[in-house]
Amino acid sequence: MASLQNQIIDYIHRRAADKLEAFDKEAEKQKRPAAQEELENIIQCLAEQRVVLEQQYQPRRWLDDAAKRARQISLVSHAPKFTNSDTHSSGVLLSQDVGRDGKLKFVVGSSSLPDLQLDVVGNAAALDVAGLLQLKSDGASLLDELACGESPTLKALASSDVQYREWLAGFGLALSVESIVSGQLAKQIYYPVDEGYHLLSPLYASSLSHEIFQRMTYVAYSEEAKAARQARKTAKYHPLTVATYPNLAVQSYGGTKPQNISKLNSARSGRGYLFSCQPPAWKRQDKPPQQGKNAFWQSYGRRCRKTVNFLKDYLEKIYELPSVKGRRDFRAELVDELIDSLLVYAAEIQSKQEWAGWSRECELSRAEQLWLDPLRSLDDDNFRIERESNDWQTEIARQFASWLNHAIGHKSDKLYPDDHTHHQWQRLLERKLALLKDDLEMAL
């Protein structure tokens, strides 16, 4: 790796090359419309301007200017403008030793990062100075040297001790804040202490946010992560763990000018990830429908409420329309969907090994007990014989038809199905129970 001194010189030369390239492009535009008699004067003027620009990027001269501009920026770990881009609050640079005494080992924060990448706030036009200070060689940056009060690298580049001391003092201003202030646009919290209050001003942990952003980008877009996800899809081994983050949100800072918030925010294009902090969604305790004579049908009704409501709305719309095959077929499809939901729900109850014999202590009808608790047959011979007779299937089908009639017509007499429709729905379920009974109980 090149020495820090060489890196500084290369950094200045790269910036000079970018500026000169932009200057040359603009110069060509100025030459094109000029008349021949004016062209020589324009070329000479542009040549003089180019010489001046080249001189500005002589290493010592550029460092003189950069040291003067360093006061316009601050290197921070917690930046203020994420709260409000117009605030004039101060940022804070976290000490690398804060929170590393082991007491906060279960807390994820800026102190959790082994290598804190610093952010830069202040005049966006002086961000090139921040890039200079963050140049590294052998793990040490120019910033690290300045934090120690001396910089062998700058001393080697300076033409005199006076120039070196001016650089040292100027660049050092980027590490210090003249006074800690919290503007009126910042978030502030009155925190009670003893007989008074402390006024706290929470700041956005930009360095931590940037580390999270980089890791999330790796998880989402790196070739290794893509290969791991593909291996998972094809049930193959991959050494990398596949990580997913559900309900991830993205927040934008700075709008079209993210550089006005901070340097790292600009590097992230103004984006920051927010993890879900929602509490867990608790599920109701899973238990068989034992309480009440209508426990099963009430529970089933809650599961298929949307389909029933859709069926009711459809029947209301076609009530006064002619009964044609298309409408009858669509109604039959909705009823068939309800029957499928009924059989699936029953299968869920039937398959619960730990519930075997639960129907001994319930208020359900005998037909419902025989249908929903097949595992009781293992230690109840009378129950098994009665169940194998299949006489209960007709009663279950009749209960379903009555339930559906009531669900559709209990609030509208005109929609209440007639006896013919009742028997039609009863036969549909009887037929399915006879066809699917063995399949649904195969896993028992």
Side-chain angles (χ1 to χ4, degrees):
M1 180 180 291
S3 67
L4 188 54
Q5 181 178 340
N6 290 335
Q7 286 198 47
I8 291 175
I9 294 174
D10 289 342
Y11 179 79
I12 297 172
H13 286 167
R14 287 197 302 272
R15 293 199 61 80
D18 292 340
K19 290 291 184 179
L20 290 172
E21 182 180 358
F23 178 86
D24 291 339
K25 288 181 180 179
E26 185 62 28
E28 289 299 322
K29 293 180 182 179
Q30 296 182 29
K31 293 177 185 178
R32 288 171 189 166
Q36 186 63 35
E37 58 272 13
E38 298 177 355
L39 185 59
E40 292 184 4
N41 292 333
I42 293 175
I43 292 175
Q44 183 178 355
C45 183
L46 290 173
E48 292 174 356
Q49 292 176 13
R50 197 178 195 282
V51 170
V52 172
L53 185 60
E54 290 174 345
Q55 290 175 350
Q56 290 176 358
Y57 282 89
Q58 293 298 316
R60 290 194 181 97
R61 187 169 178 178
W62 188 88
L63 288 171
D64 282 338
D65 178 68
K68 295 174 182 177
R69 292 186 291 121
R71 67 173 65 246
Q72 301 175 23
I73 61 170
S74 296
L75 285 101
V76 299
S77 57
H78 294 69
K81 290 196 173 185
F82 287 91
T83 302
N84 190 297
S85 59
D86 290 330
T87 185
H88 296 291
S89 304
S90 303
V92 173
L93 178 59
L94 175 75
S95 171
Q96 293 287 305
D97 298 326
V98 172
R100 296 191 178 174
D101 54 2
K103 296 180 181 179
L104 301 177
K105 60 182 179 180
F106 297 113
V107 178
V108 177
S110 301
S111 58
S112 306
L113 304 179
D115 186 17
L116 197 68
Q117 187 170 352
L118 300 185
D119 203 350
V120 183
V121 297
N123 187 358
L127 290 180
D128 57 337
V129 181
L132 171 76
L133 298 178
Q134 292 176 306
L135 292 176
K136 280 188 177 183
S137 178
D138 297 328
S141 67
L142 180 58
L143 194 63
D144 296 329
E145 293 186 359
L146 293 170
C148 297
E150 294 290 340
S151 174
T153 302
L154 290 179
K155 192 170 186 177
L157 289 169
S159 60
S160 65
D161 188 64
V162 173
Q163 188 178 47
Y164 166 61
R165 292 298 168 185
E166 289 177 351
W167 290 352
L168 208 60
F171 289 124
L173 294 176
L175 290 172
S176 61
V177 179
E178 294 181 359
S179 61
I180 302 294
V181 296
S182 180
Q184 63 179 359
L185 297 176
K187 290 183 178 179
Q188 298 178 341
I189 301 172
Y190 282 97
Y191 188 83
V193 291
D194 298 330
E195 298 180 356
Y197 294 90
H198 278 324
L199 186 59
L200 306 182
S201 183
L203 295 176
Y204 186 84
S206 184
S207 296
L208 176 63
S209 179
H210 195 69
E211 178 70 18
I212 292 173
F213 183 86
Q214 289 180 316
R215 295 193 184 190
M216 294 297 295
T217 301
Y218 175 82
V219 166
Y221 303 111
S222 69
E223 294 301 324
E224 295 87 347
K226 291 179 181 178
R229 288 195 294 271
Q230 182 60 32
R232 182 183 180 184
K233 288 181 181 179
T234 56
K236 295 181 179 179
Y237 169 77
H238 194 280
L240 188 67
T241 301
V242 176
T244 57
Y245 299 88
N247 301 321
L248 190 69
V250 178
Q251 188 170 6
S252 179
Y253 301 95
T256 58
K257 296 182 179 179
Q259 68 276 11
N260 289 345
I261 304 298
S262 76
K263 183 180 180 183
L264 291 184
N265 185 63
S266 180
R268 299 190 294 269
S269 300
R271 293 174 295 163
Y273 288 118
L274 299 176
F275 296 104
S276 174
C277 294
Q278 293 177 316
W282 298 104
K283 294 182 179 180
R284 296 183 61 183
Q285 186 177 3
D286 198 12
K287 56 184 179 181
Q290 292 175 299
Q291 304 301 319
K293 294 181 180 180
N294 298 318
F296 172 77
W297 294 107
Q298 289 174 351
S299 179
Y300 167 65
R302 288 190 291 269
R303 290 171 65 105
C304 61
R305 184 183 293 112
K306 289 184 178 180
T307 305
V308 171
N309 290 339
F310 185 82
L311 176 59
K312 288 169 60 177
D313 293 341
Y314 178 70
L315 293 177
E316 287 181 351
K317 291 178 181 178
I318 67 170
Y319 179 72
E320 296 181 353
L321 298 178
S323 177
V324 297
K325 185 177 184 301
R327 298 191 182 102
R328 293 195 301 271
D329 289 346
F330 186 67
R331 185 190 68 170
E333 289 178 10
L334 294 175
V335 175
D336 195 56
E337 182 179 338
L338 289 171
I339 292 175
D340 288 343
S341 298
L342 175 67
L343 296 176
V344 169
Y345 180 39
E348 291 176 6
I349 299 174
Q350 293 169 341
S351 63
K352 297 288 187 180
Q353 300 280 345
E354 65 274 18
W355 291 355
W358 63 270
S359 61
R360 290 189 178 94
E361 300 178 0
C362 75
E363 301 177 45
L364 300 184
S365 68
R366 188 63 172 176
E368 289 173 294
Q369 295 178 31
L370 293 169
W371 180 35
L372 299 174
D373 190 15
L375 294 174
R376 180 175 165 182
S377 301
L378 299 177
D379 57 4
D380 188 335
D381 291 338
N382 292 333
F383 186 88
R384 176 178 54 79
I385 294 171
E386 190 175 357
R387 189 175 193 281
E388 289 176 350
S389 69
N390 291 335
D391 292 341
W392 52 268
Q393 294 182 0
T394 300
E395 174 60 18
I396 293 298
R398 186 197 66 76
Q399 289 186 24
F400 169 73
S402 297
W403 170 85
L404 185 53
N405 279 4
H406 178 74
I408 292 174
H410 75 286
K411 290 185 179 180
S412 175
D413 292 338
K414 71 177 184 179
L415 292 181
Y416 206 97
D418 55 23
D419 291 341
H420 174 73
T421 305
H422 180 280
H423 292 308
Q424 182 181 6
W425 290 341
Q426 180 176 335
R427 287 195 302 272
L428 286 173
L429 181 55
E430 280 187 280
R431 191 179 303 119
K432 281 212 171 186
L433 284 172
L435 292 173
L436 300 179
K437 176 176 176 291
D438 294 337
D439 292 338
L440 290 172
E441 297 181 9
M442 186 176 297
L444 301 179

